[in-house]
């Protein structure tokens, strides 16, 4: 015949097995409505209010909680901070080493970004090519400094 495998009951603990950390969806399912009445179990009296849940968005209450978020080998997940405009990218490489990158969430406005305007240049300090040619022609006609000959420098 075939082999039989023992499948433990979900509430049963075997050896060093610890149940997985409950994610937000599991928490919502745990607090589901039964016959129009909300059945809630106490999670923590000091827990901050949970922001509204959107599909695919995981909310955390800070970097410490993001750093503790379980992540599988070679996977990545975006975690949204419930208290600050921050997104944490929690990822694990192929060896299973987890890391957390922090990104600030900044609103992009519809207005185009302001371009830096170059400071006004004082054009009175510059000459045109024609003016430069005139200046050079005058200077080449008569030298600015009278150069002394070799004999005058040795004697004087």
């Amino acid at each position: 015949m075939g082999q039989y495998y023992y499948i433990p009951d979900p509430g049963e603990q075997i050896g060093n097995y610890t149940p997985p950390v409950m994610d937000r969806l599991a928490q919502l399912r745990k607090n589901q409505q039964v016959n129009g009445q909300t059945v809630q179990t106490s999670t923590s009296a000091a827990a901050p209010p949970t922001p509204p849940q959107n599909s695919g968005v995981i909310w955390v209450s800070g970097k410490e909680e993001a750093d503790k978020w379980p992540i599988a080998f070679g996977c990545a997940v975006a975690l949204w901070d419930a208290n600050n405009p921050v997104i944490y990218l929690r990822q694990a490489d192929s060896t299973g080493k987890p890391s957390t990158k922090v990104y600030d969430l900044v609103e992009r406005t519809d207005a185009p970004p302001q371009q830096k305007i170059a400071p006004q240049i004082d054009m009175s300090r510059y000459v045109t090519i024609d003016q430069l040619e005139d200046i050079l022609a005058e200077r080449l006609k008569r030298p600015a400094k009278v150069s002394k000959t070799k004999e005058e420098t040795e004697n004087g």
Side-chain angles (χ1 to χ4, degrees), residues 18-52:
T18 56
V21 177
M22 192 180 328
D23 63 0
R24 296 284 187 209
L25 182 59
Q27 289 176 1
L28 286 174
R29 287 184 178 153
K30 187 175 180 183
N31 296 333
Q32 66 186 351
Q33 298 247 345
V34 178
N35 294 333
Q37 294 180 338
T38 302
V39 178
Q40 291 186 349
T41 57
S42 174
T43 55
S44 170
T50 305

Side-chain angles (χ1 to χ4, degrees), residues 38-100:
T38 302
V39 178
Q40 291 186 349
T41 57
S42 174
T43 55
S44 170
T50 305
Q53 294 292 320
N54 296 332
S55 62
V57 177
I58 302 171
W59 296 94
V60 293
S61 61
K63 184 163 183 346
E64 295 79 25
E65 187 176 343
D67 286 337
K68 293 177 185 176
W69 195 268
I71 188 79
F73 294 90
C75 292
V77 64
L79 306 168
W80 293 67
D81 195 311
N83 305 317
N84 299 306
V86 175
I87 299 172
Y88 305 102
L89 180 63
R90 182 80 170 148
Q91 53 191 355
D93 60 12
S94 60
T95 63
K97 182 180 177 188
S99 64
T100 305

